[in-house]
Amino acid sequence: MTALLDLHDSTLRLWHGDTCLESPGYAWFDGNHFRFGLPAMRTQRRTPRAVNTRYWSQLSTQPLSPPLGQARHGADLVHAHLQELHQLASQPKSVLLTAPGSMDREALSLLLGIVEHLPFDIAGLVHRSAVIGAASGLSSGLHVELQLHQTLITPFSAEGDSVTATASQVIPGEGMLALQDRLATAIAASFVAQTRFDPLRSADAEQSLYDALPLALTTLQNQTETQIAISGYSARITRDDLRGVGAAYGRMLEPLLPSDTPVVLESPLNLLPGLTLAVSHQNATAEVIASVIANCQSELLQAPEQLALNRRVPIVHSEAKTAETGFLSTEAAPAPAPTHILVGSKAQRIGDTTALANGTVLQRAQAGVTVANASANLRVNSKLAEANQVLEAGDNLDDDTGFTGLLIVVED
């Protein structure tokens, strides 16, 4: 079975059978090994010089600056990241790739060369904006995607039974990392005002704040406020506290969007409080890519000697569309059960029964890893833990004693 890999550096996604893997484009050298995805993202604020976030957006053979472990250049990190994803996905023999318009011909050529040294074949290379445009139901539009270090605006248009993506416009410096910095600054100001505690004054607290951002934004999409707890301090964060960040991003974006052209905003932009646009727009998640490819994969396959970025994708005709976005959606597979918990720089294996330093007891049951006994005010992803709660890789644990732990998967 051919797997599908979406090369979007904010979160690479690989679908293979019933498996969906997500791995943000972060590489961390822990002193002995390279770690990619969530483990790397969850340590970036603690060890910034040991984490690289540009190897996908600046794919090249230029020497890394600063150096990172034994990697000579970004191509080495891309090779190692792809190798890890391939192993985690049960080693598919062929992979169809979707790539953003920001990857130029030189980067794509280097990518193809990298894959030649990996144990899988590329079954096709498709422009991801054309895929999203094919599912939008629009005759023409602009796809706005948020990469780690930049925003990308890509026009697409329908002609006959297909949609074609054209040249992309890059807005450097306006990526997810910059938005996270602005959101963290706004949240830190609320902490200082309410508790006199500044979570940006220490690396551990700062990391906890950045780790809490995804859940906080998701909560604020449906509620007007949420609670964030860091290092024993808790602050109430409202949607209004963060509106300025979204409004500023919208003001930056607005002059680049023609008033007569509808826009497709890709997640997580839909989660950003205060982001409003005068133009007609709809929201999309990356999961729509898997649905479109599943409908027309055979038409997108390419022979090895013909590999090139395909900018044209057949229009999807399906009744399985959501009322809100008009987009196809697929249900993501659950995250894998964790094998270890990372406390500080040490990973503790999770056995049948595992006691943590704060008194919490984890138990490996049929449902996965659960909380058998919780310490006082134990929180999972900033929410109070529940009895027998099932934990997933990527979950953060913390309590009022200052204990923090990240549930991870360690490959043998």
Side-chain angles (χ1 to χ4, degrees):
M1 176 184 294
T2 297
L4 168 64
L5 175 58
D6 180 29
L7 298 177
H8 189 251
D9 68 348
S10 293
T11 299
L12 281 76
R13 289 177 174 84
L14 192 152
W15 292 270
H16 184 217
D18 295 330
T19 299
C20 175
L21 300 175
E22 295 189 351
S23 185
Y26 293 66
W28 168 39
F29 185 67
D30 65 7
N32 296 301
H33 306 286
F34 282 107
R35 308 283 298 282
F36 297 94
L38 282 175
M41 187 175 74
R42 306 286 179 154
T43 195
Q44 186 198 14
R45 317 309 297 190
R46 297 189 183 97
T47 58
R49 293 186 64 82
V51 176
N52 186 295
T53 60
R54 294 185 179 273
Y55 59 102
W56 278 108
S57 60
Q58 298 178 357
L59 176 55
S60 74
T61 55
Q62 294 296 316
L64 289 174
S65 180
L68 192 67
Q70 67 269 32
R72 298 162 298 168
H73 37 60
D76 283 341
L77 296 177
V78 166
H79 178 277
H81 198 171
L82 290 175
Q83 188 172 46
E84 177 181 280
L85 283 169
H86 178 253
Q87 292 173 349
L88 291 174
S90 302
Q91 302 181 358
K93 294 182 179 179
S94 63
V95 180
L96 192 150
L97 303 178
T98 59
S102 55
M103 292 190 74
D104 59 21
R105 182 175 299 180
E106 184 177 350
L108 289 171
S109 178
L110 180 56
L111 175 66
L112 295 178
I114 291 170
V115 175
E116 288 182 358
H117 299 279
L118 289 168
F120 62 87
D121 298 322
I122 296 183
L125 186 58
V126 187
H127 199 303
R128 68 190 310 272
S129 293
V131 178
I132 288 179
S136 69
L138 299 173
S139 59
S140 64
L142 296 174
H143 171 217
V144 179
E145 60 184 287
L146 190 65
Q147 300 178 352
L148 286 178
H149 293 277
Q150 59 195 19
T151 292
L152 198 66
I153 303 177
T154 306
F156 62 85
S157 60
E159 184 177 351
D161 290 331
S162 64
V163 165
T164 301
T166 56
S168 302
Q169 178 178 2
V170 174
I171 310 173
E174 292 292 343
M176 182 176 290
L177 294 182
L179 281 178
Q180 288 177 340
D181 288 344
R182 295 166 195 162
L183 291 167
T185 298
I187 293 172
S190 294
F191 265 92
V192 172
Q194 296 175 37
T195 69
R196 297 185 180 275
F197 168 69
D198 184 356
L200 299 181
R201 296 296 294 273
S202 78
D204 285 344
E206 184 180 13
Q207 185 66 60
S208 296
L209 172 52
Y210 278 75
D211 292 346
L213 285 176
L215 180 61
L217 291 177
T218 300
T219 302
L220 290 175
Q221 187 181 30
N222 301 309
Q223 301 177 20
T224 58
E225 64 180 59
T226 187
Q227 290 286 131
I228 297 180
I230 300 172
S231 302
Y233 296 88
S234 181
R236 182 175 64 91
I237 308 300
T238 68
R239 200 180 294 164
D240 289 340
D241 293 332
L242 307 183
R243 284 189 185 279
V245 177
Y249 184 83
R251 288 193 297 271
M252 177 279 301
L253 201 58
E254 197 81 56
L256 306 175
L257 308 177
S259 59
D260 58 348
T261 305
V263 171
V264 178
L265 295 176
E266 188 175 349
S267 180
L269 287 174
N270 61 304
L271 301 178
L272 193 59
L275 175 57
T276 58
L277 298 175
V279 299
S280 171
H281 64 278
Q282 56 182 264
N283 300 319
T285 64
E287 281 72 25
V288 70
I289 291 176
S291 293
V292 173
I293 298 297
N295 277 273
C296 59
Q297 184 181 96
S298 61
E299 299 173 65
L300 300 174
L301 298 179
Q302 298 171 327
E305 65 277 7
Q306 297 177 331
L307 282 173
L309 185 62
N310 182 5
R311 295 177 173 270
R312 178 172 294 181
V313 173
I315 294 174
V316 173
H317 299 287
S318 175
E319 299 301 322
K321 297 186 178 182
T322 62
E324 180 181 355
T325 66
F327 270 47
L328 292 164
S329 63
T330 59
E331 184 177 353
T339 61
H340 293 66
I341 181 167
L342 186 66
V343 181
S345 60
K346 295 184 178 179
Q348 179 180 352
R349 180 178 291 277
I350 301 173
D352 292 338
T353 301
T354 302
L356 306 181
N358 66 340
T360 295
V361 176
L362 305 181
Q363 184 172 354
R364 190 173 293 280
Q366 186 174 1
V369 175
T370 63
V371 179
N373 182 43
S375 64
N377 294 322
L378 177 73
R379 291 174 289 270
V380 179
N381 300 326
S382 301
K383 287 188 175 182
L384 283 176
E386 301 175 0
N388 299 317
Q389 180 173 349
V390 177
L391 303 174
E392 298 179 342
D395 284 346
N396 278 281
L397 305 185
D398 72 276
D399 63 17
D400 293 344
T401 69
F403 171 89
T404 59
L406 170 65
L407 293 163
I408 62 175
V409 174
V410 175
E411 294 292 313
D412 294 331

